[in-house]
Amino acid sequence: MRRAPALLVTGLLLAAAAMGAPRPSDATAESAARDTERREVVAEVEGWLTGLSTLRAKFIQNDSEGAAAAGVVMLRRPGLMRFEYEPPGTLELISNGVFLVVVDHQLRQINNIPLHLTPLSVLTAEQVDLERAYEVTGTRRTERVIEITIRSREDPDAGSLRLSFSRSPLMLRQWLVTDAQGLEVRVSLFEIQRGVELERSLFNVDQDQFEDDPGSFR
């Protein structure tokens, strides 16, 4: 009989733990709700990207090492994108549909990076199918914001991209690139214009402009 109180306390603790733990049906319902929200966020983002023809905006770029830059970004789907950095920046980044061309006017150098290896391929792709082309690692939806985080299926350790949209109306406001070392580059958009006329010539690059400079490369 002396052990009865101890057994009683133990039983009460187990009962309380059982009552506080989510029931299997609750956990299943929560998982189903998260999966539904995930699919809805993916569909919203895909729909926005598919419906986008052109975009022009000012941007501010910050990285995790404290560097900051600003400029203008222009996008014409499919394939075309251009970043013009304000002084003292000396870079232009131009996507011609195949390569991201990095033009450094100070160093007088041009570098071509395959577009599909860059985060910009998400914004410029002609066919938007995020779950086929990428791994969706996270989504978030509130009354004001939706976010989606993706990474490469081919090289999941290469880093990730998080797109952030405002709602009502849905509009891309920011993206965050995290590389394999954990370094981040955040690009925030403002004064956004959709459906503006952007000439094809804006996305042309004179690949021979530094041809006589022995330090240039392609």
Side-chain angles (χ1 to χ4, degrees), residues 118-129:
T118 76
L120 298 184
S121 62
V122 178
L123 302 176
T124 59
E126 181 172 10
Q127 301 295 327
V128 182
D129 188 341

Side-chain angles (χ1 to χ4, degrees), residues 5-26:
L7 291 174
L8 179 61
V9 170
T10 300
L12 289 174
L13 291 175
L14 290 174
M19 292 176 64
R23 291 172 295 179
S25 58
D26 293 339

Side-chain angles (χ1 to χ4, degrees), residues 3-133:
R3 298 178 59 188
L7 291 174
L8 179 61
V9 170
T10 300
L12 289 174
L13 291 175
L14 290 174
M19 292 176 64
R23 291 172 295 179
S25 58
D26 293 339
T28 301
E30 290 175 7
S31 177
R34 287 194 299 269
D35 189 56
T36 297
E37 179 177 295
R38 176 179 173 279
R39 291 197 305 269
E40 290 174 351
V41 168
V42 170
E44 283 189 79
V45 172
E46 288 180 341
W48 189 89
L49 290 172
T50 300
L52 180 65
S53 57
T54 62
L55 179 146
R56 187 181 190 277
K58 293 183 178 180
F59 72 87
I60 296 176
Q61 176 179 307
N62 302 93
D63 66 31
S64 54
E65 296 185 336
V72 175
V73 58
M74 291 165 278
L75 170 65
R76 176 174 152 177
R77 297 185 64 252
L80 306 178
M81 202 165 185
R82 180 186 185 105
F83 291 81
E84 295 179 352
Y85 287 83
E86 296 176 356
T90 63
L91 295 179
E92 286 181 321
L93 276 63
I94 303 172
S95 166
N96 60 15
V98 179
F99 294 102
L100 175 63
V101 184
V102 182
V103 182
D104 190 322
H105 292 280
Q106 181 177 20
L107 297 179
R108 297 182 57 78
Q109 293 180 342
I110 293 179
N111 190 18
N112 292 313
I113 304 171
L115 181 60
H116 74 276
L117 297 180
T118 76
L120 298 184
S121 62
V122 178
L123 302 176
T124 59
E126 181 172 10
Q127 301 295 327
V128 182
D129 188 341
L130 294 178
E131 296 202 273
R132 183 179 63 119

Side-chain angles (χ1 to χ4, degrees), residues 151-188:
R151 64 183 180 185
S152 169
R153 288 189 180 277
E154 296 180 3
D155 189 3
D157 295 327
S160 65
L161 170 68
R162 187 179 73 199
L163 301 175
S164 299
F165 294 79
S166 61
R167 304 184 72 188
S168 301
L170 193 65
M171 181 65 70
L172 178 64
R173 297 292 179 177
Q174 187 181 94
W175 63 82
L176 176 69
V177 179
T178 305
D179 70 11
Q181 287 72 47
L183 298 177
E184 297 180 344
V185 176
R186 186 186 308 271
V187 177
S188 302

Side-chain angles (χ1 to χ4, degrees), residues 41 45 138-141 145-149 162-165:
V41 168
V45 172
T139 59
R140 185 172 78 94
R141 182 171 63 181
V145 174
I146 67 171
E147 294 180 339
I148 184 169
T149 303
R162 187 179 73 199
L163 301 175
S164 299
F165 294 79

